């Protein structure tokens, strides 16, 4: 085994040290499914321990062998609370379910955001860490982005029942071993890139970025400057009640919606444009962020153009102007209908209502005036703050990575082997938004006495905000500004070409956060998109982002593969495309992209408003069943297998169905269109 001196980490327990080893742990399991009973049994484990000079993978077939190995490991390194090793796990929630009754995990050194899914847990000197929450994506994607060793595919048939004595071929063993070698290589990357330089063990990718931005702030502002900055953040932070209201009613994500007049049809020659880095552009260039504490004041329309504003408002007699419904029902404090103006909900968004009570920003209000005809409004509360740009150290760090991303993209085009490096930098850029909208969670997931539970209000809000260095209102404004950019463009295109109700059927068909899909046979939309891109050029110059690497930042670009031969949508996150080369792709929430191809016949025919089902034996979607009430036993291929606690990953089917009200809207729109213009 490798030998090294343990090192102290500044942001860890003061009296603990860590061996700088690259360790990983993984298991392979076989399923036993009988009626409602779904069990899993470990038949192979693998563990890697390595350093710069030494690498060894240990394997075994039983838990007895594993715990003998663990005992030797602990004795060899004298592992304890004071001396630890970090063990990477790709899916700690799964492995934890099997080992949780064999270890005494420390309650005060346990971190999870969801029940049954720890991100960190420690028993003595063994500290297990979930790493996919740091890398993002799957183990295969982690390997592609970060490691030399790549995940093997198709070499281990999970349908085969195995026990601890089932022979494994060389290929099957390689499959098992590769998974932990990847984890070992990734741990080397984390030690070199973050653990030693930052003196902390990362838990999430946004946590890594947050630490980097804090350091950038300290380097730029100095100790006293950063102290003053933190004081300003604390003063501008909302109180606990306001914070909850903001995230429940004021924060809105990207606008994702389908034009109901064009849903259910197979459409031809559909074009598409999307923003290049919509959120990073708004973070880098906008000067409309609230930068001072919000102050309650009397409503004044003129302030909407000069201040960052939050409005608690009731709108009366609300009717959408086009087939695009703007506001999400889930973001409404209250909705009331009347005989004259009944409530109409279009796939989760408000099309019509007599009274709608909402919290909105001044940015949202601009879109309300565009998309709704409103009889009157009553402003219940009105807050204002001074506008400005995000802190310079945030923007500088973001711009640094965006520039690196652009440079790497160009090098990749030139034939250089920089794909892995590019993927890492892309993740950095994308993580900025995640960092902006990370919520304070006062409730804590706890695992104690072999039970999972939520400890409500386990943390104090006022104590938590003392450690914050970003304002939640900034994350709210990022999404609001990006929605405005998308939806103002959508409104201009709709005014120019229609909303799909005309005889030529032209109109915007689908919106998804940073993209527009539209049918525009006369090509009128392009001048609107060009005009928008010209304004972006002006904003980039004002932000001094004139280097060639920023030339495309925030601009609309023609979406790759468009126009498509066929396009069909049945609502938000539900659409099919057929590219010019005949490739069919599906974007359906909860369904892998290529799963639609497992359907017999034309997928466009199967994908319809009457519903769609894909059977479990198509092997397109998995879920996990956790069995923890009693020890599990089963006879598999002549051997009795035993687990104190286990989980089973198994295939499930997929059913697509439409909400009844939306179903009727789609059917009515189809019938009306057929009546007007023919089939």
């Amino acid at each position: 085994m490798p030998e090294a001196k343990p090192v102290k980490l500044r942001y860890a327990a003061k009296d603990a040290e860590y061996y700088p080893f690259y360790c990983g742990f993984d298991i392979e399991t076989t399923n036993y499914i009988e009626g409602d009973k779904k069990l899993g049994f470990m038949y192979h484990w693998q563990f890697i321990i390595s350093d710069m000079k030494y690498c060894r993978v240990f394997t075994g077939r039983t838990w007895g062998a594993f715990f003998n190995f663990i005992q030797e490991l602990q004795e060899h390194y004298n592992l304890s609370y004071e001396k630890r090793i970090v063990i990477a796990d790709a899916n700690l929630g799964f492995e934890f379910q099997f080992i949780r009754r064999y270890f005494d995990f420390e309650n005060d050194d346990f971190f999870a955001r969801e029940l049954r899914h720890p991100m960190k847990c420690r028993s003595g000197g063994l500290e297990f860490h979930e790493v996919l929450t740091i890398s993002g994506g799957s183990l295969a994607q982690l390997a592609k982005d970060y490691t030399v060793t790549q995940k093997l595919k198709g070499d281990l048939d999970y349908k085969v029942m195995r026990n601890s004595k089932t022979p494994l071929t060389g290929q099957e063993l390689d499959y098992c071993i590769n998974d932990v070698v990847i984890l070992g290589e990734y741990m080397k990357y984390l030690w070199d890139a973050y653990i030693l330089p930052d003196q902390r063990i990362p838990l999430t990718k946004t946590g890594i970025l947050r630490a980097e931005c804090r350091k950038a702030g300290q380097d730029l502002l100095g100790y006293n400057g950063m102290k003053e900055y933190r004081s300003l953040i604390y003063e501008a932070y909302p109180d606990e009640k306001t914070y909850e209201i903001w995230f429940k009613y004021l924060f809105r994500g990207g606008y994702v919606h389908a034009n109901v007049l064009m849903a259910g049809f197979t459409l031809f020659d559909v074009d598409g444009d999307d923003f290049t880095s919509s959120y990073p552009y708004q973070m880098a260039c906008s000067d409309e962020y609230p930068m001072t504490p919000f102050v309650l004041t009397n409503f004044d329309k003129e302030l909407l153009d000069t201040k960052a504003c939050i409005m608690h408002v009731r709108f009366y007699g609300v009717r959408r102007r086009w087939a695009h419904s703007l506001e999400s029902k889930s973001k409404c404090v209250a909705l009331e209908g009347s005989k004259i103006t009944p409530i109409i909900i279009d796939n989760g968004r408000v099309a019509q209502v007599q009274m709608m009570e909402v919290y909105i920003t001044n940015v949202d209000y601009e879109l309300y005036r565009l998309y709704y005809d409103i009889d009157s409004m009553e402003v219940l509360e009105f807050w204002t703050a001074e506008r400005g740009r995000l802190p310079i150290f945030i923007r500088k760090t973001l711009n640094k990575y965006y520039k690196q991303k652009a440079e790497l993209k160009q090098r990749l085009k030139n034939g250089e082997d920089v794909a892995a490096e590019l993927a890492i930098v892309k993740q950095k850029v994308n993580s900025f938004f995640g960092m902006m909208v990370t919520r304070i969670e006062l409730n804590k997931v706890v695992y104690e006495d072999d039970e999972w539970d939520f400890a409500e209000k386990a943390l104090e809000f006022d104590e938590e905000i003392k450690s914050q260095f970003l304002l939640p209102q900034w994350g709210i404004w990022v999404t609001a500004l990006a929605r405005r950019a998308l939806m103002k463009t959508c409104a201009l295109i709709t005014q120019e070409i229609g909303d799909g109700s005309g005889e030529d059927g032209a109109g915007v068909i689908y919106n998804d956060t940073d993209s527009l899909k539209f049918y525009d046979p006369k090509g009128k939309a392009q001048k609107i998109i060009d005009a928008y891109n010209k304004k972006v050029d002006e904003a980039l110059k004002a932000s001094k982002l004139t280097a060639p690497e920023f030339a495309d930042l925030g601009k609309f670009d023609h979406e790759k593969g468009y126009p498509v031969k066929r396009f069909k949508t049945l609502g938000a996150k539900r659409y099919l495309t057929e590219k010019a080369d005949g490739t069919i792709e599906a974007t359906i929430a909860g369904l892998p992209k290529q799963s639609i191809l497992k359907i017999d016949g034309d997928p466009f025919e199967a994908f319809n408003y009457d519903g769609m089902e894909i059977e479990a034996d198509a092997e397109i979607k998995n879920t996990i069943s956790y069995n923890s009430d009693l020890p599990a036993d089963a006879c598999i291929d002549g051997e009795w297998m035993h687990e104190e606690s286990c989980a089973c990953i198994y295939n499930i089917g997929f059913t697509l169905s439409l909400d009844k009200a939306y179903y009727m809207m789609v059917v009515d729109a189809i019938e009306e269109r057929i009546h007007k213009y023919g089939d």
Side-chain angles (χ1 to χ4, degrees):
M1 291 189 185
E3 297 297 335
K5 289 184 178 181
V7 297
K8 280 190 174 293
L9 301 179
R10 182 180 175 189
Y11 298 99
K14 291 182 180 179
D15 48 354
E17 295 179 314
Y18 290 84
Y19 285 100
F21 297 149
Y22 320 131
C23 301
F25 170 59
D26 184 39
I27 65 173
E28 301 299 336
T29 63
T30 195
N31 288 343
Y32 181 87
I33 300 175
E34 187 178 73
D36 293 334
K37 184 189 293 185
K38 296 177 177 65
L39 307 175
F41 295 90
M42 186 278 295
Y43 66 86
H44 195 280
W45 60 265
Q46 43 269 351
F47 191 104
I48 187 172
I49 181 167
S50 61
D51 63 6
M52 294 294 292
K53 299 178 180 178
Y54 174 101
C55 176
R56 187 170 179 185
V57 175
F58 297 86
T59 67
R61 303 298 299 268
T62 66
W63 286 122
F66 176 72
F67 292 114
N68 285 338
F69 162 72
I70 289 296
Q71 185 175 351
E72 290 181 17
L73 187 69
Q74 290 174 315
E75 291 174 355
H76 184 82
Y77 293 110
N78 194 25
L79 298 180
S80 63
Y81 172 88
E82 291 82 11
K83 290 185 179 180
R84 309 177 184 180
I85 58 172
V86 180
I87 303 167
D89 193 297
N91 184 359
L92 184 54
F94 186 72
E95 269 77 21
F96 181 81
Q97 182 66 8
F98 284 83
I99 65 175
R100 67 195 187 96
R101 287 182 171 167
Y102 294 109
F103 288 100
D104 292 325
F105 289 104
E106 303 291 339
N107 298 329
D108 59 352
D109 208 355
F110 190 96
F111 178 67
R113 286 183 176 164
E114 301 174 16
L115 292 176
R116 301 186 183 279
H117 200 144
M119 297 165 66
K120 171 192 173 184
C121 57
R122 181 181 61 80
S123 176
L126 304 170
E127 192 167 299
F128 295 87
H129 281 251
E130 159 83 74
V131 293
L132 293 188
T133 53
I134 304 172
S135 67
S138 63
L139 183 63
Q141 188 63 48
L142 180 153
K144 183 179 178 183
D145 294 344
Y146 293 94
T147 67
V148 174
T149 302
Q150 296 297 295
K151 186 169 176 60
L152 299 177
K153 296 180 180 179
D155 291 326
L156 197 61
D157 188 349
Y158 284 95
K159 291 181 290 185
V160 176
M161 298 282 285
R162 296 181 174 90
N163 61 34
S164 67
K165 297 181 177 65
T166 303
L168 297 180
T169 66
Q171 281 186 317
E172 290 170 338
L173 283 171
D174 286 345
Y175 180 95
C176 299
I177 291 169
N178 261 44
D179 282 1
V180 287
V181 172
I182 290 167
L183 293 175
E185 290 179 13
Y186 184 61
M187 281 307 300
K188 181 184 184 308
Y189 167 79
L190 290 181
W191 271 96
D192 293 346
Y194 301 112
I195 299 177
L196 289 176
D198 297 344
Q199 293 290 288
R200 72 176 79 222
I201 303 169
L203 288 175
T204 64
K205 55 186 175 183
T206 54
I208 289 173
L209 185 60
R210 193 176 292 110
E212 186 171 347
C213 287
R214 278 198 185 99
K215 186 177 184 304
Q218 289 166 355
D219 292 344
L220 184 68
L221 303 176
Y223 176 80
N224 290 330
M226 199 62 179
K227 189 175 180 180
E228 183 180 345
Y229 168 79
R230 282 185 175 278
S231 178
L232 293 172
I233 292 295
Y234 184 81
E235 289 173 11
Y237 224 89
D239 59 44
E240 185 176 350
K241 182 180 177 182
T242 303
Y243 184 88
E244 292 302 322
I245 289 173
W246 282 4
F247 273 99
K248 185 174 182 180
Y249 294 119
L250 187 64
F251 173 73
R252 292 158 175 79
Y255 183 87
V256 184
H257 201 62
N259 182 336
V260 68
L261 297 181
M262 307 172 92
F265 289 99
T266 296
L267 305 169
F268 301 89
D269 299 320
V270 170
D271 215 340
D273 278 78
D274 57 8
F275 285 122
T276 299
S277 300
S278 176
Y279 289 162
Y281 167 71
Q282 298 299 342
M283 288 185 274
C285 295
S286 177
D287 58 2
E288 296 185 49
Y289 291 96
M291 301 305 294
T292 60
F294 275 97
V295 177
L296 185 64
T297 187
N298 293 325
F299 176 62
D300 183 346
K301 277 191 175 181
E302 291 186 4
L303 295 178
L304 293 168
D305 297 323
T306 59
K307 305 281 188 181
C309 306
I310 295 175
M311 304 167 66
H312 180 194
V313 59
R314 288 184 183 136
F315 294 104
Y316 298 94
V318 180
R319 299 166 301 279
R320 66 181 179 187
R321 288 181 176 169
W322 307 298
H324 306 289
S325 301
L326 182 68
E327 186 59 277
S328 174
K329 178 185 175 184
S330 65
K331 291 299 175 181
C332 297
V333 179
L335 293 172
E336 292 180 5
S338 67
K339 288 185 179 180
I340 297 174
T341 314
I343 298 174
I344 298 177
I345 304 298
D346 170 9
N347 200 206
R349 295 188 180 271
V350 179
Q352 176 183 289
V353 69
Q354 176 55 38
M355 189 283 293
M356 177 165 61
E357 181 181 341
V358 289
Y359 285 87
I360 56 174
T361 68
N362 57 293
V363 182
D364 300 314
Y365 182 64
E366 285 186 55
L367 295 180
Y368 267 66
R369 293 172 62 190
L370 267 177
Y371 279 85
Y372 289 121
D373 287 318
I374 300 170
D375 290 343
S376 62
M377 61 184 279
E378 175 189 7
V379 179
L380 305 177
E381 295 169 299
F382 187 67
W383 296 268
T384 63
E386 297 300 320
R387 293 181 180 180
R389 294 181 181 275
L390 291 176
I392 188 168
F393 62 88
I394 300 290
R395 289 182 282 124
K396 277 192 170 185
T397 309
L398 169 63
N399 295 339
K400 175 185 74 173
Y401 283 119
Y402 190 86
K403 188 174 182 181
Q404 285 181 15
K405 185 181 85 166
E407 291 169 346
L408 288 166
K409 283 173 69 176
Q410 186 57 53
R411 288 171 59 188
L412 189 67
K413 286 181 181 178
N414 294 340
E416 294 186 52
D417 184 16
V418 293
E421 191 178 350
L422 174 59
I424 294 170
V425 174
K426 274 185 176 180
Q427 282 193 2
K428 286 275 193 183
V429 173
N430 294 338
S431 292
F432 274 86
F433 174 66
M435 180 180 70
M436 286 287 177
V437 295
T438 300
R439 289 196 59 178
I440 294 175
E441 291 291 349
L442 300 181
N443 299 333
K444 188 177 179 182
V445 177
V446 294
Y447 178 75
E448 192 171 2
D449 297 328
D450 203 27
E451 295 291 337
W452 287 96
D453 200 2
F454 280 109
E456 294 189 6
K457 302 292 183 180
L459 303 174
E460 292 292 331
F461 183 80
D462 198 59
E463 287 299 313
E464 289 299 302
I465 66 175
K466 289 178 182 177
S467 64
Q468 301 299 309
F469 82 111
L470 300 172
L471 289 171
Q473 45 265 51
W474 295 343
I476 291 168
W477 251 256
V478 170
T479 58
L481 293 165
R483 276 195 314 277
R484 183 180 65 183
L486 179 75
M487 297 312 292
K488 283 187 77 171
T489 306
C490 177
L492 290 171
I493 293 174
T494 300
Q495 289 169 338
E496 182 70 26
I497 71 175
D499 66 353
S501 60
E503 188 169 354
D504 66 355
V508 176
I509 303 163
Y510 189 84
N511 302 276
D512 192 345
T513 306
D514 59 0
S515 66
L516 297 167
K517 324 286 188 193
F518 51 87
Y519 176 62
D520 179 27
K522 297 179 182 177
K524 294 181 179 180
Q526 191 58 49
K527 64 179 182 181
I528 296 168
I529 289 167
D530 290 342
Y532 177 84
N533 285 345
K534 189 174 180 181
K535 289 182 180 178
V536 171
D537 272 329
E538 295 168 2
L540 291 171
K541 288 178 184 176
S543 301
K544 298 181 181 180
L545 298 178
T546 55
E549 291 83 5
F550 298 103
D552 62 348
L553 177 61
K555 292 181 181 177
F556 273 111
D557 190 20
H558 197 241
E559 193 167 352
K560 187 177 181 180
Y562 281 76
V564 294
K565 284 170 63 177
R566 291 192 292 172
F567 183 95
K568 188 176 185 179
T569 181
L570 291 175
K573 295 294 182 184
R574 294 177 172 184
Y575 66 87
L576 294 186
T577 60
E578 182 183 3
K579 302 294 178 66
D581 62 1
T583 301
I584 295 176
E585 293 181 354
T587 298
I588 302 172
L591 194 66
K593 279 190 174 292
Q594 294 304 313
S595 299
I596 197 75
L597 301 180
K598 292 182 178 288
I599 292 176
D600 293 333
D602 185 357
F604 279 79
E605 293 295 325
F607 182 65
N608 63 65
Y609 52 85
D610 287 327
M612 180 182 74
E613 290 190 15
I614 302 178
E615 298 297 330
D617 57 11
E619 298 179 12
I620 59 162
K621 191 176 181 183
N622 294 329
T623 192
I624 300 180
S625 174
Y626 294 92
N627 181 284
S628 56
D629 295 332
L630 295 169
D633 294 278
C635 185
I636 297 177
D637 198 21
E639 179 185 358
W640 278 98
M641 304 283 280
H642 174 82
E643 297 290 351
E644 287 294 313
S645 175
C646 66
C648 175
I649 301 176
Y650 63 100
N651 296 318
I652 58 172
F654 176 82
T655 300
L656 181 147
S657 60
L658 272 63
D659 171 81
K660 288 183 179 179
Y662 185 59
Y663 172 87
M664 291 308 300
M665 291 179 75
V666 171
V667 171
D668 289 347
I670 289 174
E671 289 179 351
E672 181 180 350
R673 186 159 172 168
I674 290 173
H675 177 73
K676 279 186 176 181
Y677 309 118
D679 190 355

